[in-house]
Amino acid sequence: MQKVLGGKDFDIFIGNSMVHVMEATVKITDGRTVKKVRGIPKGFIDGPVEGEVTLKLDHENWLIVQAQAEKAGSWKGIEPFDVAFNAEVAAGKKNIEAFGCLPQLEELLNIKADGGEEDTTSIKCPITSPDFVKINGVPYLTADEVRDL
């Protein structure tokens, strides 16, 4: 029986810094819609796309992003960065790259008064680059969509 891919198998990089996350998501909203004629599907129409990375960090790894804020002079001064999620086990690999992630503090503090759990911070990062997302090296967007951008 082969080991299957799990969350512990991922190395995650914010720019050139490796971080350990408690949770992470990469979401894509693909705005393609179905074209209909007299209520019957007949093809599709391209629409807008957007993507977002969400990172839930413990205090130690939040300090890595804090250092970038200090260097930039403010949290809003942090330039968009790339985020890479890389994992490989015998059963296969999964490498997700999100480009131009604009960090926005979403949940600055999450504590329980009775203890037993560590403080966490969630950072959402809308994707701002036309490079958008690559999945195992394959771009999500077509070359035609990003031409001249």
Side-chain angles (χ1 to χ4, degrees):
M1 186 170 274
Q2 290 184 333
K3 179 181 186 230
V4 297
L5 199 58
K8 291 171 77 173
D9 299 312
F10 281 88
D11 290 331
I12 300 163
F13 293 87
I14 295 177
N16 293 325
S17 300
M18 185 176 194
V19 295
H20 298 284
V21 300
M22 299 181 80
E23 294 178 26
T25 60
V26 180
K27 294 181 182 179
I28 293 174
T29 302
D30 185 329
R32 291 180 288 181
T33 58
V34 176
K35 177 188 183 303
K36 294 182 180 181
V37 176
R38 295 189 321 265
I40 308 299
K42 188 176 180 186
F44 67 94
I45 302 165
D46 248 341
V49 295
E50 43 183 64
E52 183 175 276
V53 173
T54 303
L55 305 168
K56 185 174 183 178
L57 304 170
D58 64 11
H59 185 73
E60 180 183 348
N61 287 280
W62 177 76
L63 289 174
I64 294 170
V65 183
Q66 168 73 33
Q68 293 181 14
E70 289 171 356
K71 185 177 177 183
S74 70
W75 280 93
K76 286 184 75 174
I78 299 174
E79 291 292 322
F81 46 71
D82 300 339
V83 180
F85 301 85
N86 303 311
E88 188 167 354
V89 294
K93 69 177 183 173
K94 189 169 192 179
N95 298 318
I96 308 295
E97 299 169 280
F99 299 93
C101 298
L102 181 65
Q104 299 173 340
L105 294 177
E106 183 173 50
E107 190 174 73
L108 184 56
L109 183 69
N110 184 345
I111 58 172
K112 305 284 189 265
D114 60 352
E117 294 180 27
E118 61 184 310
D119 168 43
T120 61
T121 302
S122 292
I123 302 172
K124 71 175 182 178
C125 305
I127 297 171
T128 66
S129 171
D131 293 331
F132 199 55
V133 172
K134 288 186 180 175
I135 304 155
N136 288 336
V138 179
Y140 186 80
L141 301 175
T142 68
D144 190 50
E145 288 176 294
V146 296
R147 72 185 181 286
D148 301 325
L149 294 181

